[in-house]
Amino acid sequence: MKAKEIIHLNNDKRKELNPENLKYYEDMLVYIRLSYNKSQEETEEILLELLEHLLEAQKEGKSAKEVFGESPRLYADQIVGEIPKMVTKERLSFGASIILYFLGASALAAGVIKLVLYIIGKSSLTTDIYLGSVFLKTIISLPLAFLLLYVLLEYIRWSLFRNINKVVEFMIFWLFGLITIGFFFALVYFTPEFGPLWQWPFYGSLILGTLLFALGYGVSKIKN
Amino acid sequence: MNLHTQLLKGVLEGCILAVIKQGPVYGYELSMILGVYGLVVSEGSIYPVLLRLQKEKLIRGELRASPSGPNRKYYFLTPEGEEALQNFQTSWEELKTSVDRLLKEEI
């Protein structure tokens, strides 16, 4: 079975858990799935296996705590430690698709902003872009995006088994969003204009973004 | 961790291999069988071991239809697993004899 089919099966079967077991299991599920360098198929296989075990135990009146232990995090760490890592090919296609999605999303966002400006008459069909600046911004934004994504994932993993106040949580995400936007605005603002000048139409960004997205999707499908 | 759990940890791998040798089992079934022998502390503790044994190619998992309906992952012993089980049996016999002798003070 492919990872996707297993995920569907898991989604269906999970509905049979009682609320208490569901909470325990889902915390563990999110935590294990966020171990991003693990083989996805193997990850989903063990998750389904754990779910099926829990369902049978539930029929016998046992709780998730009795089956997997008092600490979901400790147990999840033991499982994660034993799941085989992604093979190099899976790792490369995973990394490349994230880069392509990110670039695609950036191009689409730029295209949409310029489209709106064009419609309300604040911008012409084409805008001036400096190839050197575009190149430099791309090179800097990629590691920056990866760093922010990494911080976000690590935060979610850290917070999963802690009961963090909803308001505090909201503030943290809000602050994180603000910092992210701030970084990228600073990048756009402070990058000097240099390199050859191009007249670039907004639909160019839209087309480029769509192509990059399609390419990212294609690359993510390459496995084994 | 109590003494029983600690001792069991060292031999759980070998015990799991021994159960699988008797015939293919799926996870829940395996934990029940171990339980009958009084060998399981927490049911979930078998899964990290099963993952490790698969990585070491001592067992392999295969999805099969079970009598009660859903597809289940059944575990089989590989030739390497058979060998590992034999090694475990030999070591265990030696260890058991030594410890028994010591405890009964027959040295």
Side-chain angles (χ1 to χ4, degrees), chain A residues 1 13 45-46 49-50 52-53 56-57 60 62 66-69 75 78-79 81-84, chain B residues 26-28 31-32 42-48 50-52 54-55 63 70-73 75:
Chain A
M1 261 200 296
K13 291 209 167 183
E45 268 185 27
I46 186 69
E49 223 178 335
L50 295 177
E52 283 183 342
H53 190 117
E56 291 211 42
E60 314 270 312
K62 282 180 261 184
E66 286 172 78
V67 176
F68 302 119
Y75 186 71
Q78 282 176 11
I79 291 289
E82 297 296 345
I83 299 175
Chain B
Y26 61 93
Y28 191 77
S31 74
M32 290 299 113
S42 123
E43 289 173 28
S45 61
I46 60 170
Y47 289 99
L50 285 172
L51 284 169
R52 191 161 58 240
Q54 282 178 91
K55 253 197 313 202
L63 274 175
N71 279 349
R72 285 210 170 92
K73 195 171 176 185
Y75 290 100

Side-chain angles (χ1 to χ4, degrees), chain B residues 70-88:
Chain B
N71 279 349
R72 285 210 170 92
K73 195 171 176 185
Y74 281 88
Y75 290 100
F76 299 82
L77 222 52
T78 64
E80 293 94 322
E82 301 257 5
E83 208 176 300
L85 177 57
Q86 270 172 12
N87 290 340
F88 171 70

Side-chain angles (χ1 to χ4, degrees), chain A residues 2-19:
Chain A
K2 289 265 171 280
K4 217 173 202 169
E5 293 169 50
I6 307 178
I7 293 173
H8 277 300
L9 204 60
N10 191 316
N11 290 344
D12 280 341
K13 291 209 167 183
R14 220 158 57 231
K15 293 179 192 140
E16 297 169 33
L17 287 174
N18 66 37

Side-chain angles (χ1 to χ4, degrees), chain B residues 13-77:
Chain B
E13 258 185 47
C15 296
I16 288 177
L17 289 176
V19 173
I20 297 176
K21 189 182 165 61
Q22 292 168 11
V25 282
Y26 61 93
Y28 191 77
E29 213 177 7
L30 172 64
S31 74
M32 290 299 113
I33 295 173
L34 287 170
V36 169
Y37 287 95
L39 285 171
V40 145
V41 190
S42 123
E43 289 173 28
S45 61
I46 60 170
Y47 289 99
V49 182
L50 285 172
L51 284 169
R52 191 161 58 240
L53 291 172
Q54 282 178 91
K55 253 197 313 202
E56 290 166 358
K57 306 226 184 312
L58 302 183
I59 58 171
R60 66 189 163 78
E62 208 175 279
L63 274 175
R64 285 199 176 175
S66 69
S68 61
N71 279 349
R72 285 210 170 92
K73 195 171 176 185
Y74 281 88
Y75 290 100
F76 299 82
L77 222 52

Side-chain angles (χ1 to χ4, degrees), chain A residues 74-89:
Chain A
L74 205 67
Y75 186 71
D77 273 334
Q78 282 176 11
I79 291 289
V80 168
E82 297 296 345
I83 299 175
K85 290 220 160 89
M86 278 182 179
V87 290
T88 315
K89 203 169 174 183

